[in-house]
Amino acid sequence: MDSILGRSKGAVHAIDGVDLTIGRGEIVALVGESGSGKTTVGRVITKLVQPTGGRLVFDGIDMTSVQGFSALRPYRHRVQMIFQDAYQALNPRHTIFDAVAEPLRSLKLVSSESQLTERVSEALSAAGLNPPQEYFTRFPHELSGGQRQRVVVAGALVVKPDLIVADEPVSMLDVSIRAQILQALIDMRAKQNLALLFITHDLPLAWLIADRIAVMYLGRVVEIGSADDIIFNPKHPYTMALRDATPQLPADGRPSGIKALQGDVPSAARVPKGCRFHPRCPLALDRCKVEDPPALEVGKEHLAACWQAN
Amino acid sequence: MSEVFRSASGQLLAVDGLSVDYGLKGISSRALHEVSFDLQAGEAVALVGESGSGKTTTAMAIAGLLSTDARVTSGEVRYRGARLQIDDDAAMRPHRWTETAVVFQGAMNALNPVQRIAKQIAEPCMLNGMPREAAMTRAKELLELVGIPPDRGTAYPHQLSGGMRQRVMIAMALACRPSIIIGDEPTTALDVINQAQILKLLVELRSKFNLALLLITHDLSVVAETCDRVMIMYAGRIVEDGTVAEIFAAPKHPYTRLLIESIPNPAKRQRVLRPIPGDPPSLITRPPGCPFHTRCPSSMSICATQAPALESTGQRRVACHLHSSQMKSDGVLVHA
C-alpha cells in the first residue's frame, strides 16, 4: 500500500509499501513517531486518502478503486473512524443526540424514529454515557473532554461497524479517564467481534490494548508481532529505541534511565538510501547504508525489517 | 506559615495559603484552595494533576501570569523571603525571566512565527537592558547549550521540528539566567523520542546551573526521570506531597494510588485496565467535603461533608481522612 500526499511540486511518499492485515475481532496497534505515516495508513483504510499503489481488501472485496459517496456507503457502514480531537470532531451546534444519530440517518440504517432513539441510546450507553437520555439534548460545550470523546466513540459504535480505526483516541484525555474509553472499545470487541486499528505513539498503551503491534518508521512497518513480542522481545533497533525512550513507572521511585535516540525523523521527501533508519541506528553496518532490508521472519508471526534482526 | 519547615537558607520560593478564584459571567469559582509549598534552590518538584486540578493556575500565579479574570483571594508568594506582587503585571516584570522563567507547552503558539529564532531568544535579554550585539551573541550560546547548531538561529519556527521548537523555548527561558524554571507540560505535545530528549536536556541544564525546576504535568511517568519531589493536585488542592520514591513506592492518598495504577506498565505484565470512575470535577461542579469522595473507593461518611486538612508528617503531606491524625486518635477508623 502506497500513498502520496500531493504537493504542487513533486510528490512525497507518506507511506511506502505497507503490508498490514487485521483479523475479525482483532485489535492491532500502529505505533510510531510523528511523521511515521501511521495516521495516513488509517486514512487510507477509511478511504479518506486514495493510495497510489497496492491494494486495500476488506472482507474479500477489493476496495482500492471504489470511490464516491454512494459506492462507499456500505463500506462506511462497516468501517468507522475515531479522531483524536473530540472538540473538532463534534459540531458545536448539534445536540449529542443528533451527533450520534447522524451516521444512522445519512447511511439510512433505520426506518423509524423509535428505532433511531433506541440505537442512539444503546450506543451512548455502550460508550459509558449513562443514563443516555440525559445527554440527548445537551451540546458538546456542556460536556467534559472525556464525555465528548465518549460521544465520538458512540458515533462510531452506533452503526455497529466491523472495524474501527481509532487515531490517538485518548491522547488528549486525562490519564484517569483514558481507561474508561479504552474499556468501552474492548467491551465492544467482546460483544460484537469488533476489530480495531489503534493508532498511538504510546508503546505501553499499545501493549495494554492490542493483540498485535505494528511499529512504523518513515512510512514503513519496520516490525510487527504479538504485543508481548514487541515489548519484551523486540528485534528492530527502532522498536528498542522507542521502548528505551518511554519513561517507566518505577516501583522504588528511582528513575529507570530513559535513553533518547538522537535526531528527528527525516522528512518523507528525503528518505535515506538503504535502510531508512540507518542514519539514526546505533547498530548500522555498511550494508544498511546501501541495501534496504525486507521484512524478515524473526519468530512466530513476528517480522522485522532489519539486517541484524536474526 | 508554610506547612513545610526546612532550612530557611536554601528556600527560594514559598507559596503560602494561595487561593485563586476565576470570575466567569459574574459567578466566581475557586481554582486554587489554600495551596502551600516551598521550593529549595536547585530542587526539582513536579506538580501533577488532571485538567482543572489547578496545576497550571499555580504555575501562572508564581510567574505573575494569571489571566485578567483571575483574582488572588488569599495567601502570598515569596521569593527569597520577599513578597511578590503576583497580581501586578508591571511589578512582576523585573522578576520574570531574570528570576523565574516559564517554558510553555505549545511551542508553536508561544513562538512568534515571523521572527527568526535567535532574535526571539535575544529578546528577553534586550528587554533587560543588554545591548543588541551582546544579546545576539548570548542567543547563539544558548542555542548551542540546548543542542541546536548556532547557525540554525536564522531559521523561523515553522522550519523546525516540534522537539527543536521546544528546545528554543528552553533557550529563551534560560536567557536571563533565572533561578527557577517552570515547565508547563513541556513535553506533552511531543512524541516519545523527542520527549526523552527534552527530559534529558532539562535534567542536564538543571544540574549545570543549579536550577530549581517546577514541572507541571499530567503524566506521572515523566516525573521519576526528572524530579526529586512530587505534589499531587486535585480540584484546586494539594492532596499529597512527598519524595518521588515515597510516592511511587507507597502512595497514601487513594487518588495518587489510582493514578499510578491507571498508567499501563508492561513491567507488571498485567494487561488490565484500571480506570478511575467518574470525571474530574470542573470548576463549578466541585463536590462538598473531600473533592475526591465521589470517585473514591475508600470513601467514608465524613468524606462527603468535611474536607480533610493537608497534614504533614516530616516532609510528607497528605490530605485524606484515612490518614488524618484526628481520625486515628478517635479510633473511628477501622480500616485503611
Side-chain angles (χ1 to χ4, degrees), chain A residues 34 174 176 180 207 210 261 264, chain B residues 50-51 161 191 197 271 276:
Chain A
S34 31
D174 281 315
S176 77
Q180 298 176 6
W207 169 80
L261 195 63
D264 279 312
Chain B
E50 298 179 90
S51 31
S161 69
D191 57 49
Q197 292 172 351
R271 293 218 273 172
I276 303 180

Side-chain angles (χ1 to χ4, degrees), chain B residues 290-304:
Chain B
C290 170
F292 188 60
H293 86 265
T294 51
R295 303 172 77 191
C296 183
S298 319
S299 173
M300 304 173 286
S301 56
I302 186 176
C303 305

Side-chain angles (χ1 to χ4, degrees), chain B residues 71-110:
Chain B
R71 207 160 43 85
V72 178
T73 49
S74 78
E76 61 177 27
V77 178
R78 290 186 303 273
Y79 180 79
R80 294 191 197 275
R83 184 171 188 218
L84 292 176
Q85 288 173 276
I86 53 171
D87 41 11
D88 182 345
D89 186 58
M92 283 298 283
R93 250 176 220 181
H95 175 83
R96 225 178 281 140
W97 296 109
T98 55
E99 308 293 345
T100 302
V102 187
V103 178
F104 294 99
Q105 174 177 5
M108 199 61 207
N109 297 327

Side-chain angles (χ1 to χ4, degrees), chain A residues 26-31 186 189 196 198 200 202-215 223-235 239-240 242-243 248 299-303, chain B residues 264-267 269-272:
Chain A
E26 190 183 29
I27 300 181
V28 176
L30 202 53
V31 177
I186 292 174
R189 186 255 283 264
L196 186 66
F198 189 81
T200 180
D202 186 337
L203 209 49
L205 192 62
W207 169 80
L208 187 73
I209 188 170
D211 305 312
R212 284 190 300 142
I213 298 177
V215 179
E223 184 164 5
I224 184 165
S226 73
D228 280 340
D229 275 345
I230 295 293
I231 298 287
F232 300 116
N233 187 24
K235 295 293 185 190
T239 312
M240 297 176 199
L242 272 185
R243 181 197 58 185
Q248 300 279 323
K300 188 173 168 280
E301 289 176 37
H302 187 180
L303 301 172
Chain B
N265 188 355
R269 306 239 171 185
Q270 290 173 317
R271 293 218 273 172
V272 190

Side-chain angles (χ1 to χ4, degrees), chain A residues 32-35 144 146-147 150 171 173-180 182-183 186 201-211 227-228 231-232 238 241-242 244-265 280, chain B residues 49-52 55 161-164 188 190-200 218-227 244-246 248-250 255 259-280 295:
Chain A
E33 281 172 276
S34 31
S144 71
Q147 289 170 331
R150 268 173 266 183
S171 63
L173 301 176
D174 281 315
V175 181
S176 77
I177 45 186
R178 283 182 185 182
Q180 298 176 6
L182 298 175
Q183 194 62 56
I186 292 174
H201 66 272
D202 186 337
L203 209 49
L205 192 62
W207 169 80
L208 187 73
I209 188 170
D211 305 312
D228 280 340
I231 298 287
F232 300 116
Y238 179 64
L242 272 185
D244 295 344
T246 306
Q248 300 279 323
L249 274 189
D252 55 358
R254 243 175 299 174
S256 53
I258 44 168
K259 287 186 213 124
L261 195 63
Q262 295 299 304
D264 279 312
V265 183
R280 299 174 79 190
Chain B
E50 298 179 90
S51 31
K55 57 191 193 300
S161 69
M164 295 276 256
T188 299
L190 303 176
D191 57 49
V192 58
I193 287 180
N194 272 311
Q195 166 172 288
Q197 292 172 351
I198 296 293
L199 294 178
K200 284 187 100 73
H218 70 277
D219 186 353
L220 262 177
S221 62
V222 309
V223 169
E225 303 294 337
T226 44
C227 293
V244 167
E246 286 169 340
F248 282 106
Y255 176 63
L259 209 53
I260 293 172
E261 285 175 2
S262 71
I263 299 167
N265 188 355
K268 284 196 170 164
R269 306 239 171 185
Q270 290 173 317
R271 293 218 273 172
V272 190
L273 281 164
R274 298 184 197 279
I276 303 180
D279 281 294
R295 303 172 77 191

Side-chain angles (χ1 to χ4, degrees), chain B residues 7-327:
Chain B
S7 64
S9 58
Q11 190 190 74
L12 201 55
L13 184 86
V15 175
D16 202 349
L18 189 67
S19 298
V20 174
D21 285 12
Y22 283 109
L24 302 160
K25 295 179 188 158
I27 311 161
S28 179
S29 46
R30 176 143 289 195
L32 281 190
H33 184 82
E34 292 181 7
V35 168
S36 297
F37 65 93
D38 60 8
L39 191 61
Q40 313 287 306
E43 188 183 28
V45 177
L47 207 51
V48 177
E50 298 179 90
S51 31
S53 63
K55 57 191 193 300
T56 297
T57 302
T58 307
M60 293 301 116
I62 293 167
L65 291 170
L66 285 172
S67 60
T68 48
D69 53 5
R71 207 160 43 85
V72 178
T73 49
S74 78
E76 61 177 27
V77 178
R78 290 186 303 273
Y79 180 79
R80 294 191 197 275
R83 184 171 188 218
L84 292 176
Q85 288 173 276
I86 53 171
D87 41 11
D88 182 345
D89 186 58
M92 283 298 283
R93 250 176 220 181
H95 175 83
R96 225 178 281 140
W97 296 109
T98 55
E99 308 293 345
T100 302
V102 187
V103 178
F104 294 99
Q105 174 177 5
M108 199 61 207
N109 297 327
L111 292 171
N112 182 342
V114 295
Q115 199 176 50
R116 299 180 196 276
I117 54 167
K119 180 101 189 297
Q120 296 192 49
I121 296 169
E123 202 166 77
C125 302
M126 291 195 285
L127 282 174
N128 278 287
M130 194 185 273
R132 197 191 145 80
E133 284 295 301
M136 288 305 282
T137 313
R138 171 96 181 120
K140 292 219 168 92
E141 283 169 28
L142 288 162
L143 280 172
E144 196 149 24
L145 197 64
V146 297
I148 301 178
D151 57 347
R152 291 301 309 267
T154 53
Y156 290 98
H158 76 269
Q159 294 172 309
L160 303 176
S161 69
M164 295 276 256
R165 282 197 288 265
Q166 206 58 43
R167 287 170 194 265
V168 172
M169 292 297 299
I170 294 170
M172 271 172 89
L174 293 172
C176 302
R177 301 187 169 86
S179 306
I180 303 176
I181 296 266
I182 299 175
D184 185 11
E185 305 263 12
T187 62
T188 299
L190 303 176
D191 57 49
V192 58
I193 287 180
N194 272 311
Q195 166 172 288
Q197 292 172 351
I198 296 293
L199 294 178
K200 284 187 100 73
L201 178 65
L202 284 173
V203 169
E204 270 169 41
L205 293 171
R206 180 196 154 202
S207 65
K208 198 165 181 177
F209 299 109
N210 193 33
L211 288 166
L213 181 67
L214 185 64
L215 184 74
I216 314 295
T217 180
H218 70 277
D219 186 353
L220 262 177
S221 62
V222 309
V223 169
E225 303 294 337
T226 44
C227 293
D228 315 314
R229 211 173 99 207
V230 50
M231 291 185 286
I232 311 286
M233 288 194 78
Y234 190 81
R237 296 161 192 259
I238 293 175
V239 296
E240 187 159 7
D241 174 11
T243 65
V244 167
E246 286 169 340
I247 298 286
F248 282 106
K252 285 190 169 174
H253 200 286
Y255 176 63
T256 313
R257 183 171 55 77
L258 291 170
L259 209 53
I260 293 172
E261 285 175 2
S262 71
I263 299 167
N265 188 355
K268 284 196 170 164
R269 306 239 171 185
Q270 290 173 317
R271 293 218 273 172
V272 190
L273 281 164
R274 298 184 197 279
I276 303 180
D279 281 294
S282 77
L283 279 183
I284 40 179
T285 58
R286 299 266 160 92
C290 170
F292 188 60
H293 86 265
T294 51
R295 303 172 77 191
C296 183
S298 319
S299 173
M300 304 173 286
S301 56
I302 186 176
C303 305
T305 52
Q306 216 176 307
L310 185 61
E311 292 189 16
S312 46
T313 326
Q315 290 178 7
R316 183 83 182 264
R317 296 189 293 171
V318 62
C320 176
H321 287 303
L322 289 173
H323 300 279
S324 109
S325 53
Q326 197 191 341
M327 292 295 287

